[in-house]
Amino acid sequence: MVLLRELGAGDIAHPGGTLGAHLQRVQGQLAAWGARPALQVAGLCHACYGTDGFPTALLSPDSRAELAEVIGAEAEAIVYLYASCDRKATYPTLADADGSFRNRFTGRLHTPEPQLRRDFAELSAANELDLARIDFAFREKWGAELLALFTRFRPLLSRPAWSDCRTVLAAGVR
């Protein structure tokens, strides 16, 4: 995507090479799982505002309208939700229909609609599985914890995503 190239994603170090390469792999994983186009595009742009686990941002969250103009409002909403997640506060109850989601940018709590919860879980799985596949040390260190997380997220994950979670992450569990 031209925007990512212009923003320097190909020059930012990230496990497995560059942020640009990681973003492309995440999009490819979502495509392989049969994700709809908006979620695939969100996978390609999921780190534009930085994340709770990767603080380097390509754009400020104040640039939401500009990103939406390029990738569409639905994809941008997924990107923002993913980037805004306070993982420690949100992960324990994400799979609960009434579980609260804490926005790390604003500190506000809200309850995303079911489709956004599923999108968030699927994107989270694609992101973490990419890291686990390319970095044995990452998989050894975090595999069991991630498998437990995605086991909790199981009701939100597609069958292909859940199958890959078990296959990839169980390989790192001893």
Side-chain angles (χ1 to χ4, degrees):
M1 174 180 274
V2 173
L3 175 65
L4 295 175
R5 194 169 37 255
E6 289 174 356
L7 294 173
D11 300 323
I12 297 171
H14 191 277
T18 66
L19 178 60
H22 167 69
L23 296 172
Q24 289 176 344
R25 289 190 306 267
V26 170
Q27 179 191 27
Q29 181 62 77
L30 289 164
W33 290 342
R36 67 188 193 293
L39 183 53
Q40 291 180 42
V41 171
L44 183 61
C45 298
H46 75 271
C48 279
Y49 306 129
T51 71
D52 198 3
F54 188 77
T56 303
L58 302 174
L59 293 169
S60 163
D62 296 336
S63 303
R64 291 189 67 188
E66 293 148 45
L67 184 59
E69 199 171 294
V70 175
I71 68 171
E74 183 182 9
E76 190 284 330
I78 299 166
V79 170
Y80 183 79
L81 182 73
Y82 188 80
S84 72
C85 180
D86 175 335
R87 294 176 180 182
K88 186 176 181 181
T90 301
Y91 279 2
T93 61
L94 182 73
D96 301 342
D98 61 348
S100 62
F101 187 102
R102 180 180 297 275
N103 183 314
R104 71 183 181 98
F105 299 132
T106 67
R108 292 187 11 218
L109 295 173
H110 64 101
T111 304
E113 63 177 77
Q115 183 62 57
L116 273 175
R117 285 177 182 279
R118 288 189 297 273
D119 291 341
F120 180 89
E122 198 88 350
L123 178 52
S124 295
N127 177 65
E128 299 297 349
L129 290 181
D130 176 63
L131 298 175
R133 278 189 175 102
I134 62 168
D135 185 342
F136 177 77
F138 176 89
R139 189 171 61 246
E140 283 288 308
K141 182 175 182 178
W142 299 107
E145 186 175 322
L146 288 170
L147 185 57
L149 173 69
F150 294 126
T151 298
R152 286 195 313 273
F153 285 10
R154 171 65 189 105
L156 302 171
L157 295 171
S158 67
R159 282 186 181 180
W162 173 238
S163 177
D164 277 358
C165 285
R166 288 185 313 201
T167 300
V168 173
L169 298 173
V173 177
R174 295 186 191 256

